[in-house]
Amino acid sequence: MLDTVSPPPSSATQPPRKGWLLWPFQTLARRTSQGVAVTFYSLVVLIPLAALFSSAFTHGWGFFWKAATAKEALAAYRLTITCSLLAALTNAVAGLGTAWVLVRDTFRGKAILNALIDLPFALPTVVAGVTFYTLYGPKSPVHLTLTGTWTGITVAIVFVTLPFTVRSVQPVIETMTFNAEAAAATLGASPWRVFRTITLPTLLPAILTGTGLAFARAMGEYGSVVFVSNNLPFRTEVASSYIYSLASAGDPVGAAATAVTMLVMALVVLIAVSVASRRLVKGS
Amino acid sequence: MKFPRSLAIRIALPLVLATLPIASLVPVSAQASGSTVNVVGYSVVKTIFSKLETAFQATSAGSGVNFSNSFGASDTQTNNVANGQSADLVNLSYTPNIGQLVTAGKVPSDWASQEFSLGGVNVALTGSRQQTTYPTPGILTDSAVVFVVRAGNPLKIGTSWLNLVKPYTTTSGSGKTKVTTKHTYGIVTPNPTTSGSARWNLIAAYAGAIGAGDSSSKAQSYLKSLLTDTVAQPVSGSAALAAFLGGTGDVLLSYEDDALAAVAAGDAVQIIYPSKTILIENPVALTKTGLSNPAAKAFYSFLFSTAGQTILAQNGFRPVLKSVWKTAAGSFHSFGASAMPITTFDPSGWTVLNGQFFDPSSGIVSQLEQSIG
């Protein structure tokens, strides 16, 4: 991360005049830290995922395909993708607005709001689930019952993934200068036109990244959704809950196959978003 | 590259502190292993087991014995034990789960007869144990599937299974502005993939329809209506009760014991006893490790003793010990002789039922759910 923001002086590759004796050690240190990073990532992420893949194909391709495309699984994917997409898009708009206000406006309690944005990350998702059940459950104090509906699932996911767009857009707005916007406004462009032609294109890569992350995270959400979904197979059962039921009912291979399918879908989205935002950056 | 010392301390200190609780756990579990009984049970027996364990610890056989408990949806628990979770004694929701543990090599195949070899500490069990006409060895408690409704039964839900899926009407306004609205009862029953309780419920519903004179195809379309009207399928029997108490649905299909516990706890619900239901039999078994653990064997014996069975009876479980049943029968609803159309659920019976109803691709319930979704 630091490297992309401010490339460090290339002292590690070119021996400095003084202290040239240290150069091999610096190279060693750099290599070692790279090694540690890759090893850590492998231990924590790659190896478990490789195990998941190998488990999914324990009984061969035929079994995998049958499990991954079981009717109940397809219904669960459809629900999960729809709700995740709606939630990610909601957060793209709401997150942009929130980030904008947090950077460009000054108001009382701004620092507190800024700190609270990350709350959905800090909170156990089950807590979010219980909160939603209390507020939007059958005994809703506001007479709004969303449990057992796709809307309810989407609302829960919106809450859990809110910080993604805010936190990816916020730093970009902070580094943006007013100059171009001010110039456009002086030349008679309407505020909407300034936003559409100058502000939005600058922010789009960050919005895409945040939305992509939110979508990928939403696909796997379990803790909050399981409280509000009512868990009806083919109707309101999300993919993570379906995977849980397979895994806990003695079908680990079926669970792994379904999980791999979800993983691949999330990966495709993340790669697509990454490619799209790179193109946008190059284009501008 | 500078690495400030203070930063190093800031990173290292929490790491060291974080390992302390883990380190402190290790000696505790190691030292207590001698007289600890690992109990793994289905979700609704969590409360009753804490009562049984306390009572057992007060006996001479149980003094100094510690318990390590784990409760959850029956199929989930079974799967965990099959995959290596420590268990000395398992109390699961239905016999096929024990069968899975036999297949996994965790429970001996003659588990049902443990009752005769071990139950005799306090009482001679052979021939004397059963309450009525359905003797099945290896069963700790009996129960039945009942309907749980809101206190006062505001929707006037009756004792017939078939009426559960019939729409009811409400009228609002009067005269010309009178509006009649059709409703269906919202049914709550756990998810049959994870919950044994759910399987008992759906088989009871099917049996209820057959008992009311339906052909098997009519009983299947009845089951479809019931699943269509189902508004929530939580992961376990306990989770279903919790969802119902939280306001979800109009009728909960439940174990009689769980329903009685909710009523006893003062929850605003009441029980409707269906005119026909199913005899639920919840098995208990010592695992292979449990058989070499004297404390676990003593606890198993206690469960089948007069004292153990009395505690179960006082908490809404139908005791399997004939002597205890004689005194407890008065506090249970009498279903009558013809009320339980399907009664013998030996493991092979359940194997057939599981394949017929709950097979993920070809089972009746799975196919019905698919056609609804």
Side-chain angles (χ1 to χ4, degrees):
Chain A
M1 285 263 292
L2 279 173
D3 290 323
T4 55
V5 174
S6 57
S10 50
S11 59
T13 46
Q14 288 172 359
R17 272 178 223 166
K18 293 175 184 177
W20 57 271
L21 268 173
L22 285 173
W23 178 67
F25 297 103
Q26 283 173 340
T27 310
L28 187 68
R30 189 165 52 92
R31 289 275 151 79
T32 312
S33 61
Q34 282 170 359
V36 167
V38 171
T39 310
F40 184 73
Y41 187 76
S42 303
L43 278 178
V44 175
V45 180
L46 292 184
I47 293 175
L49 286 185
L52 178 73
F53 269 83
S54 88
S55 161
F57 292 97
T58 312
H59 302 325
W61 174 257
F63 187 94
F64 171 87
W65 186 249
K66 210 181 147 203
T69 59
K71 295 252 168 68
E72 193 171 346
L74 295 180
Y77 300 147
R78 202 184 56 180
L79 165 69
T80 310
I81 291 172
T82 310
C83 290
S84 300
L85 205 61
L86 285 174
L89 291 177
T90 308
N91 273 339
V93 178
L96 174 62
T98 313
W100 188 265
V101 166
L102 280 176
V103 176
R104 292 271 169 109
D105 283 0
T106 44
F107 54 91
R108 275 188 159 199
K110 181 173 145 177
I112 295 171
L113 179 65
N114 192 24
L116 286 182
I117 293 291
D118 289 326
L119 202 60
F121 280 170
L123 220 58
T125 50
V126 171
V127 175
V130 174
T131 311
F132 277 104
Y133 195 82
T134 316
L135 189 58
Y136 302 123
K139 290 182 179 172
S140 165
V142 293
H143 299 289
L144 187 62
T145 303
L146 296 178
T147 47
T149 65
W150 285 31
T151 315
I153 296 169
T154 308
V155 169
I157 298 177
V158 165
F159 173 86
V160 175
T161 58
L162 173 76
F164 282 107
T165 331
V166 180
R167 289 306 187 216
S168 53
V169 175
Q170 203 176 5
V172 183
I173 303 178
E174 272 164 3
T175 54
M176 264 172 73
T177 52
F178 281 101
N179 299 354
E181 285 168 310
T186 317
L187 291 171
S190 65
W192 167 240
R193 196 168 168 203
V194 172
F195 176 78
R196 198 164 43 87
T197 55
I198 297 170
T199 320
L200 196 60
T202 317
L203 296 178
L204 209 53
I207 296 173
L208 261 179
T209 306
T211 311
L213 281 175
F215 177 77
R217 171 73 184 77
M219 296 261 285
E221 178 52 20
Y222 178 76
S224 63
V225 168
V226 80
F227 273 90
V228 297
S229 75
N230 283 356
N231 205 31
L232 289 174
F234 296 98
R235 284 179 276 177
T236 61
E237 185 185 45
V238 292
S240 55
S241 177
Y242 174 64
I243 293 170
Y244 171 81
S245 79
L246 288 181
S248 64
D251 185 8
V253 180
T258 319
V260 161
T261 312
M262 292 290 291
L263 194 73
V264 168
M265 285 193 271
L267 206 63
V268 166
V269 169
L270 285 179
I271 291 171
V273 163
S274 168
V275 168
S277 62
R278 261 163 209 244
R279 287 217 176 142
L280 280 171
V281 171
K282 269 189 194 164
S284 65
Chain B
M1 167 142 182
K2 282 180 196 164
F3 196 70
R5 190 173 293 169
S6 61
L7 187 63
I9 291 169
R10 251 187 263 167
I11 293 169
L13 198 62
L15 282 177
V16 172
L17 287 176
T19 56
L20 282 179
I22 300 167
S24 65
L25 279 175
V26 176
V28 174
S29 55
Q31 129 203 357
S33 66
S35 56
T36 296
V37 180
N38 289 306
V39 174
V40 175
Y42 65 107
S43 68
V44 302
V45 293
K46 186 177 178 178
T47 320
I48 185 66
F49 260 85
S50 82
K51 289 180 186 174
L52 288 165
E53 287 162 9
T54 310
F56 174 65
Q57 282 161 335
T59 66
S60 59
S63 73
V65 173
N66 292 313
F67 285 94
S68 166
N69 293 300
S70 160
F71 298 101
S74 195
D75 287 78
T76 310
Q77 297 291 82
T78 304
N79 196 40
N80 290 347
V81 172
N83 287 328
Q85 183 184 340
S86 299
D88 294 316
L89 183 134
V90 287
N91 178 204
L92 297 163
S93 135
Y94 71 152
T95 46
N97 285 154
I98 307 268
Q100 283 168 260
L101 295 180
V102 172
T103 310
K106 302 290 177 185
V107 169
S109 57
D110 61 345
W111 61 274
S113 64
Q114 287 170 354
E115 184 187 336
F116 304 116
S117 53
L118 293 166
V121 174
N122 295 304
V123 65
L125 286 161
T126 315
S128 70
R129 67 172 285 272
Q130 250 305 328
Q131 53 182 32
T132 47
T133 48
Y134 321 115
T136 315
I139 301 301
L140 178 62
T141 50
D142 287 342
S143 194
V145 174
V146 299
F147 307 155
V148 179
V149 299
R150 308 285 168 205
N153 194 7
L155 297 177
K156 303 202 167 39
I157 287 159
T159 61
S160 152
W161 279 96
L162 297 183
N163 285 346
L164 281 186
V165 301
K166 298 230 168 92
Y168 64 96
T169 54
T170 53
T171 50
S172 56
S174 59
K176 280 186 179 174
T177 60
K178 196 167 159 181
V179 181
T180 308
T181 329
K182 257 192 176 181
H183 307 272
T184 49
Y185 300 115
I187 292 155
V188 179
T189 181
N191 189 317
T193 313
T194 48
S195 161
S197 155
R199 297 186 179 205
W200 285 114
N201 291 345
L202 295 175
I203 295 291
Y206 185 83
I210 295 280
D214 277 1
S215 64
S216 72
S217 69
K218 262 186 98 181
Q220 274 189 44
S221 66
Y222 163 74
L223 210 52
K224 181 175 176 176
S225 311
L226 191 80
L227 289 166
T228 308
D229 292 351
T230 299
V231 294
Q233 289 193 1
V235 292
S236 71
S238 293
L241 177 63
F244 185 74
L245 294 178
T248 302
D250 303 313
V251 193
L252 167 74
L253 306 184
S254 165
Y255 287 125
E256 178 191 33
D257 51 79
D258 213 16
L260 286 169
V263 171
D267 294 318
V269 293
Q270 76 179 61
I271 300 172
I272 303 290
Y273 290 95
S275 52
K276 295 219 184 272
T277 190
I278 203 169
L279 175 75
I280 290 174
E281 298 181 310
N282 307 120
V284 68
L286 285 167
T287 61
K288 286 177 181 170
T289 54
L291 281 169
S292 57
N293 179 346
K297 285 165 84 170
F299 183 57
Y300 182 97
S301 302
F302 176 80
L303 293 178
F304 283 100
S305 70
T306 307
Q309 288 281 311
T310 305
I311 293 170
L312 286 162
Q314 284 163 352
N315 288 279
F317 292 84
R318 293 176 180 243
V320 293
L321 208 62
K322 206 172 186 178
S323 55
V324 177
W325 175 247
K326 269 182 190 157
T327 43
S331 58
F332 287 94
H333 173 79
S334 171
F335 281 103
S338 65
M340 299 184 176
I342 298 180
T343 49
T344 12
F345 278 104
D346 58 283
S348 67
W350 258 115
T351 307
V352 173
L353 286 172
N354 265 340
Q356 198 182 342
F357 283 85
F358 302 109
D359 182 274
S361 51
S362 63
I364 292 171
V365 169
S366 321
Q367 297 217 324
L368 290 177
E369 297 234 46
Q370 190 179 315
S371 68
I372 298 162

